[in-house]
């Protein structure tokens, strides 16, 4: 059985890399302060009220903190400590908050840069301290890697089943399983889920495009039967009114274009960060980057793009605020490029094209409702598969860390979180529970009430 674990959990960054992270965090905080871009998709819809003066800076900051804190401390920090690779939840969610919080433009980059310094200079010390504890919960947390990587492979199957039914979902599942087995047998050094995810995503897109083409063909046939130009125009007008994707916010698109140089700087910075191979754009990607499997990491993050393009495009056009990493195409591009200067140029071009194409993309999505639905199903499937994988992996970590007692503590904290209405978001609750459980077990050990399991 193929097992994938992080090769190292140390955050070994050069001085140049550390200073670059500090500078990028300063830039993202500055852009957030201007309400031009935020990383958290849930915060973006609230930005419009802030831009138009209907919401105060303090209130918007509270919303951003409430929607981001769980991911920062429950997912971002544990994932970075476990994999030894930085991630967007740890870097960009805090700069969202700090940028919006800042009362002055010049203060925002100072706060963002300070957070970057805390991460790159402080996280390594925290890592070393945790590994020196009698109960090493960070090493135990590496147990999450295998469930995350392999269960994540199934997200296209879930999306196909939800959107196109059980039969096509079963077909996708059989195909993915066959491809995983074939990859493990023929190419053992390649991440086994790569081909399977590619096939699943292509199937989903194919089914969606075919459905939209058939629908448009039927509509054209109905229009020809009606033999009335007036009725045809009336139907088109109704489509424009009824479909929110067609009537877009041109003012928001224009606002983003006016700040194109800033977005190009963002694209360059994020792409270079990915090119350094000290950063992973997702849960699965972090472990693949830690293993040096950069092409596989690029594949995984490229497939995720299909689930987020419609969401990011529509919220950007509605709110006037874009994503810090755009459609996240700069992630896989950065992983694959051989030189940071190439990454900087490519990232700048990609984000510029994205911003300039927002309105056209929004109109195109308005004519492809099934493709839009597919993206929603993909996002839901990604959340479900990762949620299960992280929970399962966290319980495995608990077992390695402290046997039945640790499972009781970690599982109990997860259940308590559910009973209390999820004050910590579900995906972040399990890793946070492992960290809290590890601290508790170390405390019990110092009291002489618990003996760490021998490896």
């Amino acid at each position: 059985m193929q097992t994938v674990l992080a090769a190292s959990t140390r955050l070994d960054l050069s001085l140049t890399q550390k200073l670059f992270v500090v500078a990028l965090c300063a830039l993202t905080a500055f852009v957030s302060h201007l309400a031009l871009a935020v990383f958290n998709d849930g915060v973006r819809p609230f930005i419009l009220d802030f831009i138009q003066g209907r919401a105060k800076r303090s209130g918007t900051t509270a919303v951003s903190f409430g929607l981001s804190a769980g991911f920062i401390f429950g997912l971002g920090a544990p994932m970075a400590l476990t994999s030894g690779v930085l991630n967007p939840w740890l870097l960009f969610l805090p700069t969202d908050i700090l940028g919006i919080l800042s009362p002055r433009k010049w203060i925002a980059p100072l706060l963002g840069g300070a957070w970057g310094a805390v991460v790159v200079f402080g996280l390594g010390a925290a890592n070393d301290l945790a590994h020196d504890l009698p109960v090493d919960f960070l090493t135990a947390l590496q147990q999450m890697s295998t469930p995350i990587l392999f269960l994540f492979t199934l997200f296209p199957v879930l999306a196909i089943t939800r959107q196109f039914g059980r039969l096509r979902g079963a077909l996708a599942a059989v195909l993915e399983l066959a491809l995983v087995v074939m990859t493990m047998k023929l190419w053992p050094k390649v991440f086994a889920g790569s081909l399977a995810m590619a096939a699943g995503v292509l199937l989903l897109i194919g089914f969606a495009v075919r459905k939209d083409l058939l629908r448009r063909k039927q509509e054209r046939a109905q229009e020809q039967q009606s033999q009335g130009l007036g009725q045809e125009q009336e139907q088109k007008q109704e489509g424009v009114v009824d479909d929110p994707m067609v009537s877009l916010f041109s003012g928001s698109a224009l606002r983003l274009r006016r700040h194109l140089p800033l977005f190009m700087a963002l694209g360059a910075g994020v792409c270079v960060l990915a090119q350094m191979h000290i950063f992973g754009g997702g849960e699965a990607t972090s472990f693949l980057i830690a293993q040096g499997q950069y092409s596989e990491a690029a594949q995984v993050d490229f497939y995720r793009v299909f689930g987020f393009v419609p969401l990011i495009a529509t919220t950007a056009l509605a709110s006037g605020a874009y994503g810090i990493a755009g459609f996240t195409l700069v992630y896989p591009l950065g992983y694959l490029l051989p030189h940071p200067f190439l990454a900087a140029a490519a990232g700048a071009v990609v984000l510029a094209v994205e911003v300039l194409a927002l309105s056209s993309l929004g109109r195109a999505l308005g004519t492809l409702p099934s493709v839009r639905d597919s993206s929603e199903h993909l996002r839901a499937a990604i959340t479900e598969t990762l949620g299960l994988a992280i929970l399962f992996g966290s319980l495995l970590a608990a077992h390695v860390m402290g046997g039945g007692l640790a499972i009781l503590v970690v599982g109990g904290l997860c259940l308590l979180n559910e009973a209390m209405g999820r004050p910590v978001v579900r995906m972040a609750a399990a890793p946070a529970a492992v960290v809290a459980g590890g601290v508790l077990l170390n405390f019990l050990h110092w009291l002489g009430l618990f003996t760490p399991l021998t490896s």
Side-chain angles (χ1 to χ4, degrees), residues 30-45:
F30 179 68
V31 172
S32 173
H33 174 82
L34 298 177
L36 289 173
V38 290
F39 181 79
N40 194 324
D41 294 322
V43 173
R44 202 170 298 118

Side-chain angles (χ1 to χ4, degrees), residues 211-228:
K211 184 176 180 179
D212 282 333
L213 291 177
L214 290 175
R215 178 186 59 82
R216 292 174 65 179
K217 184 178 179 180
Q218 292 173 354
E219 289 177 352
R220 284 195 297 267
Q222 292 173 358
E223 290 170 359
Q224 291 174 359
Q225 291 175 0
S226 66
Q227 296 180 351

Side-chain angles (χ1 to χ4, degrees), residues 111-136:
L111 293 176
W115 174 255
V118 168
V119 170
V120 296
F121 292 103
L123 214 58
N127 183 292
D128 294 337
L129 176 63
H131 281 303
D132 290 337
L133 293 173
V135 180
D136 186 356

Side-chain angles (χ1 to χ4, degrees), residues 58-341:
S58 58
T60 309
T61 302
V63 169
S64 181
F65 181 83
L67 293 174
S68 302
F71 285 103
I72 297 169
F73 302 108
L75 186 62
M79 284 293 297
L81 290 168
T82 302
S83 65
V85 175
L86 300 173
N87 58 69
W89 306 287
L90 182 62
L91 295 182
F92 303 146
L93 289 181
T95 57
D96 281 358
I97 300 168
L98 294 171
I100 298 172
L101 172 68
S102 174
R104 296 286 185 272
K105 286 183 181 181
W106 63 272
I107 297 178
L110 294 180
L111 293 176
W115 174 255
V118 168
V119 170
V120 296
F121 292 103
L123 214 58
N127 183 292
D128 294 337
L129 176 63
H131 281 303
D132 290 337
L133 293 173
V135 180
D136 186 356
F137 53 85
L138 291 185
T139 298
L141 267 171
Q142 290 188 54
Q143 296 295 322
M144 289 195 305
S145 62
T146 300
I148 286 176
L149 288 171
F150 281 86
L151 286 178
F152 185 71
T153 303
L154 293 174
F155 78 87
V157 175
L158 268 65
I160 290 172
T161 305
R162 293 264 170 77
Q163 187 173 6
F164 297 105
R166 299 176 184 176
L167 180 60
R168 292 182 181 180
L171 172 66
V174 171
L175 176 62
E176 284 208 8
L177 178 61
L179 288 172
V180 168
V181 173
M182 183 183 73
T183 304
M184 294 177 70
K185 184 68 175 178
L186 300 179
W187 306 290
K189 294 184 179 180
V190 175
F191 170 48
S194 298
L195 286 177
M197 277 189 286
V201 171
L202 288 174
L203 272 179
L204 177 64
I205 294 173
F207 290 149
V209 171
R210 180 177 181 273
K211 184 176 180 179
D212 282 333
L213 291 177
L214 290 175
R215 178 186 59 82
R216 292 174 65 179
K217 184 178 179 180
Q218 292 173 354
E219 289 177 352
R220 284 195 297 267
Q222 292 173 358
E223 290 170 359
Q224 291 174 359
Q225 291 175 0
S226 66
Q227 296 180 351
L229 184 60
Q231 182 178 354
E232 178 182 342
Q233 292 178 349
E234 181 181 351
Q235 288 175 350
K236 289 181 180 178
Q237 290 173 357
E238 288 177 356
V240 172
V241 173
D242 293 339
D243 193 341
M245 295 294 298
V246 177
S247 179
L248 293 171
F249 298 81
S250 57
S252 296
L254 182 61
R255 177 177 186 265
L256 296 176
R257 290 175 186 172
R258 283 199 299 265
H259 295 87
L260 196 61
L262 267 179
F263 287 111
M264 294 177 70
L266 268 181
V270 176
C271 198
V272 170
L273 184 67
Q275 192 278 333
M276 290 177 175
H277 300 148
I278 60 172
F279 172 89
E283 300 88 346
T285 316
S286 294
F287 291 110
L288 289 171
I289 292 293
Q291 285 289 105
Q293 296 178 304
Y294 307 131
S295 60
E296 288 86 349
Q299 284 181 287
V300 170
D301 273 353
F302 179 72
Y303 303 144
R304 288 173 66 107
V305 170
F306 294 102
F308 290 89
V309 166
L311 172 68
I312 294 172
T314 51
T315 54
L317 289 165
S319 66
Y322 198 39
I324 288 294
F327 296 143
T328 69
L329 283 169
V330 290
Y331 295 164
L333 194 62
Y335 303 149
L336 297 176
L337 288 174
H339 197 278
F341 288 118

